[in-house]
Amino acid sequence: MSGARHCGLLLREQDKEATVYIGNLDERVTDSLVWELMLQAGRIVNVHLPKDRVTQFHQGYGFVEFISEEDAEYASRIMNGIRLNGKPIRVNKASADKQKSVEIGAELFVGNLDPMVTEQVLYDTFSRFGNLITLPKVRSLVL
């Protein structure tokens, strides 16, 4: 087992291939809730939700390391987009190459939106047509 020694403890390195990124987490979500949810997809080694140094609350994302790469892939397929505390979570392989192109899909620009349209409204509208790779972003263009 590879690892680094720190304070007399053996710290093993995270297996990036067996780890998923989990994002868009509600502030009430805890490490143990993520553990229980992801346990439905496979055996888990570790759950880590990075905490803000000042508030000590998690920052809305985290990482779940599974025993195997197959469990991580399965989790990313079945857990992506499910609602946790009313918010659709984003789950994908942590080691996914960000430069990799999507084989099927499109990136859409939707203009002339009413100021009342939120990211949640866009998500609810477009998710009816299939899984969204990324969550919608509402941006204001100032001309």
Side-chain angles (χ1 to χ4, degrees):
M1 177 190 321
S2 65
R5 287 205 173 269
H6 179 71
C7 299
L9 298 174
L10 179 65
L11 301 175
R12 57 174 214 67
E13 293 181 23
Q14 181 182 39
D15 181 354
K16 298 287 187 199
E17 296 302 319
T19 301
V20 297
Y21 164 87
I22 180 170
N24 199 37
L25 296 175
D26 182 84
E27 63 271 359
R28 296 168 292 176
V29 171
T30 62
D31 294 55
S32 60
L33 180 60
V34 170
W35 184 288
E36 290 298 319
L37 174 67
M38 297 310 235
L39 191 58
Q40 307 306 310
R43 297 170 298 162
I44 298 171
V45 173
N46 185 41
V47 170
H48 176 65
L49 304 180
K51 306 259 188 295
D52 181 275
R53 289 182 182 170
V54 176
T55 67
Q56 290 302 307
F57 291 112
H58 70 76
Q59 299 177 22
Y61 72 93
F63 301 93
V64 179
E65 182 182 358
F66 288 89
I67 294 274
S68 71
E69 184 177 346
E70 293 78 20
D71 287 345
E73 288 174 5
Y74 182 66
S76 67
R77 283 196 313 269
I78 68 166
M79 296 294 184
N80 189 43
I82 68 163
R83 292 186 177 274
L84 188 57
N85 285 358
K87 291 178 75 174
I89 62 172
R90 186 173 56 233
V91 181
N92 58 307
K93 292 285 296 287
S95 64
D97 182 0
K98 301 301 181 197
Q99 304 303 317
K100 191 185 304 182
S101 63
V102 177
E103 292 179 22
I104 300 174
E107 187 171 319
L108 298 177
F109 170 80
V110 181
N112 201 26
L113 293 173
D114 187 284
M116 300 301 289
V117 173
T118 64
E119 293 173 356
Q120 186 65 48
V121 169
L122 287 174
Y123 178 86
D124 292 343
T125 301
F126 287 99
S127 65
R128 294 180 190 145
F129 300 102
N131 286 338
L132 302 181
I133 303 296
T134 60
L135 295 176
K137 298 288 182 208
V138 174
R139 294 186 177 99
S140 297
L141 296 177
V142 180
L143 301 176

